[in-house]
Each structure stands twice: as C-alpha cells, then as structure tokens.
Amino acid sequence: MKFKVFTRFVVTLMAVMLVAAGCSTGGDSSQSKPNVDKSKIENLPQPIASKDVKVMVIRKIGGDDHTAQYLAGAKQEGESMGFTVDTFSANGDTAKFHDAIAQALEKKYDGVIISHGDDAATLDDVKKLTDKGIPVVTFDSNPDLAALNGVTLTSQDDAQLAQLALESMNQQLNGSGNIVYLWVDGFPPMVSRNGVYQDFMKKNTGIKEVERFGVAASDTSVQTQNAVSAMLTKHGKGEIDAIFATWDAFAIGAARAVKEAGRDEIKIYGIDVSNADLQLMQEEKSPWVATAAVDPKVIGAVNMRLIAKKIAGEETPQKFDLKPTMITQVQLNSAGETVNMESLSTIIPGWGVSKDFDESWMQALKEAYISK
C-alpha cells in the first residue's frame, strides 16, 4: 500500500516537472512586466482590471514551425495586454498533453487555450476546467466540445483550404490527370478536408487517384518522402501529374522525393505554410507550386483574444473559422527576393493581420503597456 502511494507521488511529481519543462520552452512567463495602473484605462472590464490574468496555452502536436508560430502568436498577443502566458507543446505525446491540462486545472489559470485536443479524453478534461469556472478556447480539436457550455471551438476554414488547393490543381490539369492523394484520417481538420476532396473527385471525373499515403508521426515528412519515392519508381514519367497534400508535412516530404527523382512534370498543391515551406517553394525547380493557408501567428492571437473576452465576461461565439489565403510559387518568385513569414504580407495583401475580436479595451490595454 505504501509502495502504491509512493508510486502515485512520483508519477504526479514527474508530470509537474514535464509540464514545467514544457512551459519553459514556450518562453519565460515570469519576466518582469511594466507596472500599469489598469484603473485608469477606460471601459476595461472589471475581471481584467482586477487581477493579473494568467493564461495557459496547451498544444498536443509540436516539433514543427507551425506549432512554434501558433504558440508565439498567442503568447505575444497575451503579453501585449499584460497577461502572464505559459505555453506547452506535448510534441504528440498524449499522456503529456493530458497531464498539462490537469496541471492547468490545479494551478487555477484564468483561462486555457487547447490546440489539437482530438481525442475523447479532451472532452473530459475541458469539462473539468469549465466546471471549475475556467473558460476554454480550442483550436482544431474534438468537435464534440461544442456540446460544452461556454467553450469556443476555432479552426481554419478547412473546407475552404481544401477547395482553394484543389481548384488551383484542377486549373493546372485542365480537368484531366492522375494524382497522388496525401491524407491521414483521425483528425478533425483532415476529416473536413477529405470531405471536400471526395466531393471534388465525384464532380471532376477526369481526375484519377492512382496512389495515396498518409501517416501522422514525429517523422511524417521523412516517411512521406520514402513513400512518394517508391510511388515514383512504380509510376513512370507521364503517369502522375500532380500531388494533393492535405498537410504541409506531407508536401515537404513529397517535394523532396519529386525533386530528388528529377520528376519536374509533377506539381504539388498543399495546405498550411511556414518558413520552411516558403523556403522549399522558392527553391529552383521546386515542384511545390501552391499552398492554401492561414497565418499560424494570427490563429494564436485570435485564440488569445477570444479567451480574453471570456475572462472579461463578454459574449463569444460557439465556433469560429479563420479564412485562408492562397499562396503561389509565382507570387513568391515575383518578389525578387527571398520571402519568409514576416515579409509574406508584401505580396499577399492582408497576410498576418486580423482585427477579429480585437476589442477597443484590448487596444487600450496594449497601448498602456507599450507606453511603459
């Protein structure tokens, strides 16, 4: 009996250490903040004015540029309003992900943002948080969370992401050609994107799927590269016209395989974007010609504004989709210089900017902290 108690203690202690370590990777939230007299800010909601707001951002997947930018966007937006923001990426480890949520509950954060909580256990976790009066905003998570009162579900407009990429591919193919489909089941965004793909294939009978592959792992791009390389060996020149990749990790692996094989007749159409993606798209003879995406930093920032509104006691929508943009290789090459996530706005109007849920009191709060 004593051994069991000791074991539980050790497990709990390890979980705390893991979460603490994860939080530190997102940036030190203990840094000193300007001393702002929030009572002087007009129309500032009382729950925001009366305390040091603490928010936890927990993401199940990680290890990629998209995750880093999402967490940075949330952290920067929160800290610009004087919030204490801790971030944690479980890097795909389900146990660590749920441990982090348990710690957020224990430490009584004022709000919690959860990204990619796709399993049924996330529903139980979030219910425990909301039962304790802790508001929650989720991104690309279990759709059943919509049944919980007060939770806001956010996502990229996955249907439009898929539609934009497929339309771009169809234009290049002129309605006829053989394609490879890179997709993996089991994730809400992928389910939505697949629905659009299936509808597209029914309506465009001249497009034929000759191969498909998909796996979600820590080395997805490597496994995809190997799989596509094998497909290229199996199908000679002229037998594959394009690749539709429903995730940039797929597109990265596919692009490497196609370029390595010298199969420049094959073009890749993807979803999502990062600095690594942009670099790859701009390489000489890159097969990756277009990608549909939402700025991940904007997603993080909008999620933070929504949780701020919840903490403030303001009304928030049950669901919110962020609208995507199409980015093409032609646009990137027209810049005359290397384009990254920061400079993408110079060729894509409106990129990296969103006024969604950016309330006047938030702007006043930011100005107060910036002036210090």
Side-chain angles (χ1 to χ4, degrees), residues 238-274:
E239 294 182 25
I240 297 175
D241 300 296
I243 296 174
F244 174 44
T246 55
W247 180 19
D248 60 345
F250 291 147
I252 289 171
R256 290 171 180 165
V258 170
K259 193 172 182 181
E260 188 177 85
R263 298 286 293 273
D264 54 9
E265 81 279 10
I266 300 172
K267 305 304 179 186
I268 298 171
Y269 299 82
I271 290 176
D272 291 334
V273 70
S274 70

Side-chain angles (χ1 to χ4, degrees), residues 312-345:
E314 295 182 350
E315 186 176 346
T316 54
Q318 184 187 55
K319 294 182 180 180
F320 182 74
D321 289 336
L322 293 104
K323 301 302 178 185
T325 300
M326 199 68 197
I327 303 166
T328 68
Q329 192 179 71
V330 171
Q331 289 172 308
L332 296 174
N333 292 340
S334 70
E337 58 184 8
T338 301
V339 178
N340 57 28
M341 294 293 286
E342 293 300 320
S343 60
L344 194 54
S345 59

Side-chain angles (χ1 to χ4, degrees), residues 70 73-74 77 81 113 137 152 154-155 294-309 320-322 353-358 362:
Y70 170 83
E77 186 71 5
M81 294 185 280
I113 298 172
V137 171
T152 293
T154 70
S155 64
V294 178
D295 187 344
K297 288 187 74 173
V298 167
I299 300 171
V302 170
N303 278 198
M304 184 58 66
R305 293 172 196 162
L306 280 165
I307 202 69
K309 283 177 66 67
F320 182 74
D321 289 336
L322 293 104
V353 178
S354 170
K355 290 299 182 182
D356 292 321
F357 309 109
D358 193 8
M362 295 182 191

Side-chain angles (χ1 to χ4, degrees), residues 14-318:
M14 289 179 66
V16 171
M17 292 173 67
L18 284 169
V19 173
C23 292
S24 66
T25 64
D28 183 7
S29 62
S30 63
Q31 61 185 354
S32 60
K33 291 183 292 187
N35 186 19
V36 171
D37 184 357
K38 293 194 287 186
S39 67
K40 294 182 179 179
I41 301 174
E42 292 185 10
N43 301 317
L44 187 62
Q46 194 276 334
I48 300 294
S50 63
K51 60 185 173 183
D52 177 12
V53 176
K54 298 188 300 179
V55 177
M56 182 67 176
V57 187
I58 304 169
R59 185 161 165 118
K60 187 175 183 180
I61 64 173
D64 60 321
D65 204 14
H66 193 281
T67 293
Q69 291 178 67
Y70 170 83
L71 295 177
K75 190 173 182 68
Q76 289 171 14
E77 186 71 5
E79 290 183 345
S80 72
M81 294 185 280
F83 298 174
T84 296
V85 182
D86 291 326
T87 64
F88 177 80
S89 171
N91 291 321
D93 189 311
T94 300
K96 290 181 181 179
F97 172 71
H98 292 294
D99 284 341
I101 299 176
Q103 288 303 310
L105 177 65
E106 182 68 24
K107 293 181 179 180
K108 300 179 181 178
Y109 281 87
D110 297 297
V112 176
I113 298 172
I114 293 174
S115 175
H116 291 81
D118 57 326
D119 57 7
T122 301
L123 198 67
D124 297 330
D125 288 342
V126 171
K127 190 172 188 309
K128 290 176 183 176
L129 290 169
T130 56
D131 285 347
K132 291 289 186 179
I134 301 172
V136 176
V137 171
T138 70
F139 172 63
D140 274 0
S141 295
N142 189 331
D144 292 339
L145 289 163
L148 299 181
N149 188 40
V151 177
T152 293
L153 283 68
T154 70
S155 64
Q156 301 176 102
D157 190 331
D158 290 293
Q160 191 174 1
L161 282 167
Q163 193 68 45
L164 286 171
L166 287 166
E167 285 175 357
S168 182
M169 182 184 72
N170 201 30
Q171 287 176 6
Q172 181 251 320
L173 294 176
N174 290 318
S176 178
N178 296 329
I179 70 169
V180 171
Y181 181 40
L182 301 179
W183 170 80
V184 62
D185 201 358
F187 301 91
M190 291 294 174
V191 172
S192 179
R193 294 170 194 180
N194 184 58
V196 174
Y197 173 76
Q198 297 299 335
D199 186 57
F200 169 84
M201 293 299 285
K202 289 177 183 177
K203 294 178 179 177
N204 296 274
T205 55
I207 307 294
K208 306 295 182 184
E209 179 189 309
V210 296
E211 295 274 5
R212 71 163 60 191
F213 174 79
V215 62
S218 58
D219 61 344
T220 292
S221 60
V222 174
Q223 291 196 46
T224 304
Q225 181 176 352
N226 294 336
V228 173
S229 293
M231 292 176 195
L232 298 179
T233 301
K234 180 179 175 183
H235 297 275
K237 204 157 189 173
E239 294 182 25
I240 297 175
D241 300 296
I243 296 174
F244 174 44
T246 55
W247 180 19
D248 60 345
F250 291 147
I252 289 171
R256 290 171 180 165
V258 170
K259 193 172 182 181
E260 188 177 85
R263 298 286 293 273
D264 54 9
E265 81 279 10
I266 300 172
K267 305 304 179 186
I268 298 171
Y269 299 82
I271 290 176
D272 291 334
V273 70
S274 70
N275 279 318
D277 300 342
L278 290 173
Q279 181 180 348
L280 190 52
M281 289 179 71
Q282 293 171 88
E283 287 182 0
E284 187 177 357
K285 294 185 177 180
S286 172
W288 192 352
V289 296
T291 194
V294 178
D295 187 344
K297 288 187 74 173
V298 167
I299 300 171
V302 170
N303 278 198
M304 184 58 66
R305 293 172 196 162
L306 280 165
I307 202 69
K309 283 177 66 67
K310 286 181 178 294
I311 294 168
E314 295 182 350
E315 186 176 346
T316 54
Q318 184 187 55

